[in-house]
Amino acid sequence: MSEAGAAAAHDAHAEHHELGFIRTYIFSTDHKMIGRQFLFASILMLIVGGLLAMMIRWELAWPETAVPFTSWISEPFMYPADEDSAVGAVEGLSEYVDPYPGANFAKSLGSVGGAHMDPAFYNSVFTMHATIMIFFVVMPFMVGGFGNYLIPLMIGAGDMAFPVLNMLSFWTAVPATIMIVYSFFVEGGAAAGGWTMYATLSADPTLSGVDTGADLWVISLLILGVSSLMGAINYITTVVNMRAPGMTWFRMPLVIWSLFVTAILLLLALPVLTAALGMLLFDRTMGTSFFMPGGGGEPILWQHLFWFFGHPEVYILVLPAMGVTSDILSTFSRKPIFGYKAMAFSMMALAFLSWIVWGHHMFVSGMNPVLGTAFMLTTMVIAVPSAIKTFNWLGTLWGGNIRFTSPMLFALGFVSNFVIGGLSGIYMASTPVDIFIHDTYFIVAHFHYVVAGIIFGMFAALYYWFPKIFGRMMNETLGKVHFALTYIFFNCAFFPMHFLGVGGHMRRIYNPLQYEFLHDMQWWNVFITMSAFCLGLSQLIFFVNFIWSLIAGKKADKNPWEANTLEWTAPSPPGHGNFETTPTVYRGPYEYSSPLVQEDWLPQDRKLGPEAVTASQ
Amino acid sequence: MPRGSAVAAGPPDSQPSTHETTEALVAVPGYGGGPPPPSIPRPPVSNARMGMLMLIGAETMFFAGLIGAYVVFRFGSPVWPSGHLYLPVGITWVNTAFLLFSCYTMWRAIRCIQADQQQPFVRWLAVTALLGSVFLGVQGFEWVRLVHDGLTISAGMYGATFYTLIGCHGLHVLAAVLWLGIVLVQARRGKFSPQHLIGVEICGMYWYYVGAVWVVLFPLVYLN
């Protein structure tokens, strides 16, 4: 087996040199190249989604004033303002709140290429912000990028089970991505029904005023569903069938467990969305009325189908970040993960529970209250596996030799934000509380702590595996500065949203000043917006570090972090076929500080002889 | 040397000593030294079969979504016309028999190639493809008649659910027939043998699945 594997790897390696530019860099079937393609595509989309967030924040802090740098956007969406009208709009705000916080800042910046945002376009902006961040940033980054890159390397395989399917998975995601971006430029603009696209708003083009844009949104997600399906089939088959000799299920790194469970969720959840999207598309284009009560349809059915997919989707987003965090915490605490099996089983429990809790998104939809109570109970149970994970992470840190590297810092940041997001989730799960805070900024705070908090997991993964993926180290100092600023401004931006939400600030509103009871809290909106801008600017440090390290970073060794898992036994970056010889696995992935060896790490593929035991005495 | 986890990794009395052999360490939980378990030369379910099972799982969720919607509308509506009122139930019974018989012929084809009987293999495959095409043809013919009679997709919930559900199944049959067409061409060129029949087998799995979905849809939509 290992000889055959080595020969195959060698053949593949030889073949590599004959591949042309197109087969190597564009239509590559190598999981590492496909992973990098997903990675770069999602980073590009992260910039788009982030800039949309900045527009939302400006509008909320200084409503109906000129948004800077947007005069290039065409007329029905943004209306260019000259300097006088830009300043005048900000001065008009003092009618509501006097003195208005940040007025001077808004005056001086708003006159730089400023333009007024059309309220309907604001709807498109927040809809597309969420859609892009969920489907085109987090999913392709964690599942597409790191899923592809890590699964074969960490289980000791030469490539995925179906390399061509893998390539097709990326190249079906590309038209979906182009379509979603292109939808901004069609007549009527991009989809404006919120990322959840609730019917009837989404089912009848006349209601949201967006016709082609919303059709493109639906078709784009249908295509993306096919891409994810191919990815999921590939991941599951690879993990089940392609593990190296000795790599038993419970010797797999937790990040592989998380990606495996994620792939199962993807496989079974996305087809339900596909069915719902198909019906929505028929409603929009073929004259059916599945979700239109006028024709005998059922708007609540859309919510049921959407959230039956949507709640597993939350775990599709967060599980890989949890897996990454588990690996990184163990590596940099120089300790085995606390409760390895409990960690694996709690991920399975989360995945199972995610199928029976969707109704907690619908407490105020008019659903039967008895059903609401059932969903409340199942939702509360989620706290159990979540708490198992959190306490095991803390147990891993306890008494460890913690190395505060940038990936470690980001992993710690993920854990702490996840705790806040998880706890605010319990408020939302309780029906009586949810009825009060439903669709306020409290929920916006909650899901940003969980879903936007995933960006800490994403950065942790990128800083940790960057040496393996690109063969160079990232700058540690810049990484730590990036972490500190991101962590501070993330919390400054999202924590006050809890206060706004409890104060009654609605989600998805264009101008909070329309409501007199929100005037007193408007300075929180300005504070959040300022923090969000700083959060956005802090990412420039990351981009500088990322690009500079790609070109001129210090060359990385095979195993710069002194970690145990198999990818660190391959060269940095690994060649085509990954391993020089198929590795044999002798132990679990977290044997740090083992008394059997001199060093404080013990790689999974290292064979120990009696002399190692002697040396450890 | 950092030993932060020495205590966490296992009970203190399991610390290995010099006179122990390496094999003894296998028994020490958490340290995990020693030889690996024997590698499995061939996984119990091959990659292709596994991938097809995954696809079938995903398709099942897709149809579950559509059937769920159908059930909501049908049992939530105060009036729901009987299938006999609109749909050609009699001819669809015959059509159902065609589709189910095609599953049998598919099974026969796979049995033949397992026994390396090339001629009957190709013949049974051709019969299967023909039966699948007949099923599609009859469905298409009936649809034209239904639309002509005024049952369109936009005519109400009855038409909308009927065409969506049955249409999605029809598309799956179409995909299966096209795939079988490719397999048939390969079979005529003698590509398959008892050792190399995975291409036929996974096509067969999909074929059976499409038949099985029909067994659920036919009573649900047509018979009531």
Side-chain angles (χ1 to χ4, degrees), chain A residues 1-13 580 582:
Chain A
M1 167 80 192
S2 89
E3 265 181 12
H10 184 78
D11 286 351
H13 199 259
E580 281 134 10
T582 304

Side-chain angles (χ1 to χ4, degrees), chain B residues 47-109:
Chain B
N47 285 356
R49 272 169 168 273
M50 175 83 75
M52 182 42 69
L53 285 174
M54 301 290 142
L55 180 66
I56 286 173
E59 296 274 31
T60 305
M61 291 306 284
F62 173 74
F63 278 107
L66 290 181
I67 291 172
Y70 176 83
V71 167
V72 165
F73 289 123
R74 177 167 167 185
F75 296 103
S77 303
V79 195
W80 191 266
S82 158
H84 292 270
L85 213 60
Y86 287 107
L87 304 177
V89 176
I91 192 147
T92 312
W93 265 114
V94 178
N95 218 9
T96 305
F98 283 147
L99 191 62
L100 293 183
F101 188 63
S102 79
C103 290
Y104 169 73
T105 56
M106 179 56 115
W107 178 75
R108 284 298 300 263

Side-chain angles (χ1 to χ4, degrees), chain B:
Chain B
M1 173 181 162
R3 284 287 166 84
S5 72
V7 180
D13 59 350
S14 66
Q15 292 281 343
S17 57
T18 37
H19 55 78
E20 275 176 327
T21 61
T22 326
E23 278 67 30
L25 294 171
V26 182
V28 181
Y31 296 152
S39 64
I40 308 158
R42 192 188 285 174
V45 183
S46 71
N47 285 356
R49 272 169 168 273
M50 175 83 75
M52 182 42 69
L53 285 174
M54 301 290 142
L55 180 66
I56 286 173
E59 296 274 31
T60 305
M61 291 306 284
F62 173 74
F63 278 107
L66 290 181
I67 291 172
Y70 176 83
V71 167
V72 165
F73 289 123
R74 177 167 167 185
F75 296 103
S77 303
V79 195
W80 191 266
S82 158
H84 292 270
L85 213 60
Y86 287 107
L87 304 177
V89 176
I91 192 147
T92 312
W93 265 114
V94 178
N95 218 9
T96 305
F98 283 147
L99 191 62
L100 293 183
F101 188 63
S102 79
C103 290
Y104 169 73
T105 56
M106 179 56 115
W107 178 75
R108 284 298 300 263
I110 293 172
R111 283 291 297 270
C112 286
I113 190 64
Q114 280 166 346
D116 206 10
Q117 299 164 329
Q118 291 287 346
Q119 283 298 328
F121 164 62
V122 174
R123 216 173 304 139
W124 281 117
L125 272 189
V127 172
T128 311
L130 183 71
L131 285 169
S133 312
V134 167
F135 176 85
L136 273 181
V138 173
Q139 289 284 76
F141 180 78
E142 288 303 329
W143 275 34
V144 172
R145 210 177 54 75
L146 285 174
V147 172
H148 194 72
D149 287 354
L151 184 70
T152 59
I153 190 166
S154 55
M157 290 317 299
Y158 190 82
T161 49
F162 172 78
Y163 285 109
T164 308
L165 207 47
I166 303 301
C168 280
H169 180 262
L171 281 178
H172 281 75
V173 179
L174 179 64
V177 168
L178 291 176
W179 186 5
L180 185 58
I182 297 169
V183 171
L184 189 56
V185 171
Q186 290 173 333
R188 285 174 62 106
R189 291 183 187 154
K191 195 194 160 194
F192 301 108
S193 67
Q195 289 75 39
H196 298 279
L197 44 73
I198 189 70
V200 188
E201 274 185 333
I202 57 171
C203 182
M205 285 166 77
Y206 194 68
W207 195 273
Y208 301 147
Y209 176 71
V210 168
V213 171
W214 184 251
V215 170
V216 175
L217 290 185
F218 177 59
L220 189 70
V221 177
Y222 286 81
L223 308 177
N224 52 349

Side-chain angles (χ1 to χ4, degrees), chain A residues 15 78 137 369 484 561 603:
Chain A
E15 186 193 345
M78 301 295 289
V137 177
W561 307 117

Side-chain angles (χ1 to χ4, degrees), chain A residues 357-421:
Chain A
V357 296
W358 79 90
H360 69 221
H361 298 270
M362 300 166 57
F363 286 151
V364 298
S365 68
M367 186 176 67
N368 188 332
V370 178
L371 211 53
T373 310
F375 279 121
M376 178 171 108
L377 291 173
T378 53
T379 305
M380 296 280 187
V381 175
I382 288 185
V384 176
S386 305
I388 291 175
K389 296 201 77 71
T390 307
F391 285 113
N392 281 356
W393 284 326
L394 298 182
T396 306
L397 294 169
W398 189 268
N401 271 299
I402 298 180
R403 297 181 183 173
F404 287 104
T405 57
S406 19
M408 180 65 166
L409 289 170
F410 274 102
L412 292 170
F414 171 79
V415 173
S416 65
N417 289 332
F418 176 75
V419 168
I420 296 175

Side-chain angles (χ1 to χ4, degrees), chain A residues 181-205:
Chain A
V181 175
Y182 177 69
S183 73
F184 274 110
F185 303 99
V186 296
E187 202 188 332
W195 85 277
T196 51
M197 275 285 184
Y198 275 7
T200 55
L201 189 59
S202 58
D204 184 345

